[in-house]
Amino acid sequence: MTSIGTGYDLANSIFSPDGRNFQVEYAVKAVENGGTSVGIRCKDGVVLAVEKLVTSKLLKPNANKRIATVDRHLGVVYSGMIPDGRHFIERARDEARSWRDTFKTPIATADLASRMGGYLQAYTLYQSVRPFGITAIVGGFDSTAELPVDGEVGSGPSVGAGGKVAGKTHGGPGLYMIEPSGLYWGYYGAATGKGRQAAKAELEKLDLGGPGGPALTLEEAVKEAARIIYVAHDDDKEFELEMTWISGSDGPTKGLHQEVPKALREEAERLAKKAQEDKVDE
Amino acid sequence: MDHRPQAWGRPRDDVYGAYDASYLQTTGPKTATQAPVVTGTSVIAIKFKDGVVMAADNLASYGSLARFTDVKRLRPFLSTSIVGFGGDVSDMQFLDRHLNELAIDEAYEHDHAETPSPSDDSTTTTQPPRGQLNAANLHKYLSKLMYRRRSDFDPLWNQILVAGLDSASKPFLASVDLRGTTFSSPSLATGFGAMLAQPIMRRFAATEEDAAKLTREQAVDVVKECMKVLFYRDARSLDRYSLAVVTKDGVELREDEQLEKQSWAFAERIRGYGTQTV
C-alpha cells in the first residue's frame, strides 16, 4: 500500500490518480478478516455455508444465526462486518417486499442481486458514507412452475401468461456474490472471507459448470460445502458450521430457504473431519 | 389580472363566471365500503378427533349473477392453518396478500426453520417450530385486524373461519366477522351455512366431546353432506367446491371437488313460491 498517506484514502468519492478508490479496497480488507462463507449452485438447488467463528465461550451454541432468509426462497450469507451484513439483509428484505407489493410475485434471485448491487455501489459514491464491509452471497431458487399472482383467486385465462416460448424453461437455482464496490456476478460456486483462496481452489475441482449444467446433487453439495469450510478453516480457532439450502418445489425444502437438517449436517461434518484426517495421514 | 397563487391555474372569473367549488367539498360522511360487491357464500367447518375439516364452494357471485366459478376461498397459512373466507372477494384478496406478508415475516423470525428429515419420527417433525404462529394466534390476529377496521368505519366485508391446531396441539376452530365478532364452536358455518349446515353438523358434533369422537372420514362425510344441502337450497352456491383437512401433519387442500350423488327428488314436493297455483 504505497499510496497510504497520499490523502486519497481519506474519503469515498475521491479517486486516486491511478484510478482506485481506496475506501472500497479497505472495505475488502474487512471482508478478508471475516469467517469464510461458501455458496454452491448445483443441479437441484443451492447450498450456503459459513464458518461461524466462536468469539466467546459465553455465546450460546447454535444461536445467533449468520445466514438469513429473504422472502421465502432466498438466503443470504456474508463475510466481514456483521452489523453491515445485518443492514444488508434488512435492505434485501425491504427490496423483496416492495417487489411483491409492486408485481404481486416473488423477486427473482437475479433481480435481488441487481437491486442489492446497486445499493452497495451507492455507498462508494459519497463523502458522508463508507462502503459496506461485507461480501454477500445471495442464493435462491426461482420457481420453475408458473406461479399464481399473490392474492389471485381463480385460474385466469386458460391460454396462460403471454410471451411464452415453447420448450423454454424458467426459473431454477441462482447464486450471486456482491462485493463492497457493488460489483456482482452470478457464480457456479462462490467463496469469500478469510479462507476464500483455499475454498475457491476446492470449488474449482467440483463439477458445477458442465455442458449439461452442474452434475452435483444438492445432498452432495451439502457435504462438499461442509468439507470446504473445514479445509478453509484455520485450525487453532473454534468455529461452528452453519448451513442452509434451497431446493425446487419437488426437492427436500419445497422451494423454501431452510436450515440443513441436523442429521445431514452432522453427517457432512463427520465426513469433512474424516477427509481432513485422511489428508494429514498422507 | 389576479396574480395571487390561489388563482393560478383557475379559470378567470371575469371570463367564465364565478368558479363552482362545490365538487371540492371535503366535508360530509366518509363513504368506505358500504356493501360487498363480488361475494362468496358459506364456509363450513367441523372439528374431529385429530383436526378440522373445512369446505367452501368455488363460486364468486356478482349480486345474483354467478360471475366467477373457479374462485378458491380456502387459503392455507404456513401449512399449519387454513383460513376460509365468506363475503367480499376483493377484501379476501387483500387479506390473503396481507397474510402472505405475515408468513414471510414468520420465515425471517424463525431464521430458516430446519427442513424436516424424512428419517425423523413423523410425530415430532410436523409440529410447527416453537414460537411459530398457530391457528389460535392467527385467529386472534385476524380478530384484532377486523375489529380495528370496523372501528375505522372501513370494515373488511368478510366472515372468516380459521382452522388448525392451538398451542396445546388440540384442534382449533373459530370465526371472526366484519365487525370483529369472534366465536368458537365444534362446528361453524358462515352465511347461509349458519342456517342450513350448522344444524346438520350439530347433530354429529354438538359438544367438544362429540367432536373428539368423530373420525376424519366421518367429519369429511358430514361436510360433504352439508355442501350438498347448501347447493340444494342456497341460490348463490355451486356444485364445485374446495375441501381442506388440517391435522398435525399439515394441510391437505383439494380445490376441485364435485358434489356427488345429488338427488333433486325433494324439489317436486316444495310448494309455496313461484308460479305454482296449488
Side-chain angles (χ1 to χ4, degrees), chain A:
Chain A
M1 283 273 170
T2 52
S3 315
I4 291 172
T6 55
Y8 292 107
D9 63 345
L10 295 179
N12 257 327
S13 84
I14 303 278
F15 272 121
S16 80
D18 46 348
R20 296 156 66 184
N21 182 337
F22 285 107
Q23 281 300 308
V24 169
E25 291 181 20
Y26 297 161
V28 172
K29 293 277 173 215
V31 173
E32 289 170 3
N33 292 326
T36 313
S37 303
V38 166
I40 301 177
R41 175 184 174 277
C42 52
K43 192 162 70 181
D44 42 2
V46 178
V47 177
L48 300 176
V50 63
E51 167 206 28
K52 196 165 79 183
L53 296 168
V54 178
T55 50
S56 163
K57 289 222 182 300
L58 297 173
L59 289 167
K60 186 182 170 196
N62 296 316
N64 303 312
K65 297 292 187 198
R66 279 282 307 281
I67 312 181
T69 305
V70 173
D71 207 297
R72 271 174 294 195
H73 62 298
L74 294 160
V76 174
V77 65
Y78 53 89
S79 294
M81 299 175 70
I82 288 164
D84 286 23
R86 296 250 169 86
H87 178 72
F88 179 96
I89 282 156
E90 201 174 302
R91 176 71 188 197
R93 287 172 175 174
D94 284 351
E95 289 289 355
R97 169 167 298 194
S98 78
W99 182 280
R100 266 199 200 260
D101 283 348
T102 311
F103 301 109
K104 311 283 181 249
T105 182
I107 191 169
T109 317
D111 291 312
L112 184 77
S114 161
R115 296 274 181 108
M116 294 312 294
Y119 188 65
L120 259 61
Q121 191 266 343
Y123 279 72
T124 68
L125 295 172
Y126 305 100
Q127 290 270 8
S128 54
V129 294
R130 62 166 176 80
F132 277 69
I134 58 157
T135 288
I137 299 174
V138 177
F141 201 104
D142 305 329
S143 174
T144 48
E146 194 179 328
L147 287 176
V149 174
D150 284 355
E152 179 181 308
V153 289
S155 55
S158 57
V159 291
K164 287 278 172 63
V165 179
K168 196 175 173 200
T169 55
H170 297 264
L175 183 70
Y176 292 81
M177 185 158 74
I178 308 168
E179 294 170 30
S181 60
L183 175 88
Y184 70 94
W185 297 117
Y187 288 88
Y188 291 129
T192 182
K194 198 179 284 176
R196 70 201 172 284
Q197 297 296 3
K200 278 183 200 166
E202 291 298 320
L203 283 168
E204 282 168 18
K205 292 179 199 159
L206 303 178
D207 183 4
L208 297 175
L216 207 69
T217 67
L218 197 55
E219 226 161 273
E220 286 165 348
V222 165
K223 288 170 185 161
E224 290 297 342
R227 189 181 62 79
I228 291 169
I229 291 291
Y230 271 85
V231 167
H233 176 65
D234 172 21
D235 279 332
D236 41 285
K237 278 201 191 109
E238 214 186 311
F239 80 106
E240 277 174 16
L241 173 65
E242 191 179 323
M243 280 201 291
T244 63
W245 59 355
I246 317 157
S247 75
S249 54
D250 48 353
T253 79
K254 305 195 166 42
L256 304 177
H257 174 245
Q258 287 179 328
E259 194 163 330
V260 172
K262 194 157 167 263
L264 179 57
R265 194 196 70 218
E266 281 170 355
E267 167 71 0
E269 282 191 90
R270 190 184 62 75
L271 291 172
K273 283 177 192 157
K274 189 163 169 289
Q276 289 282 83
E277 282 159 18
D278 291 351
K279 211 165 197 183
V280 174
D281 292 341
E282 277 167 22

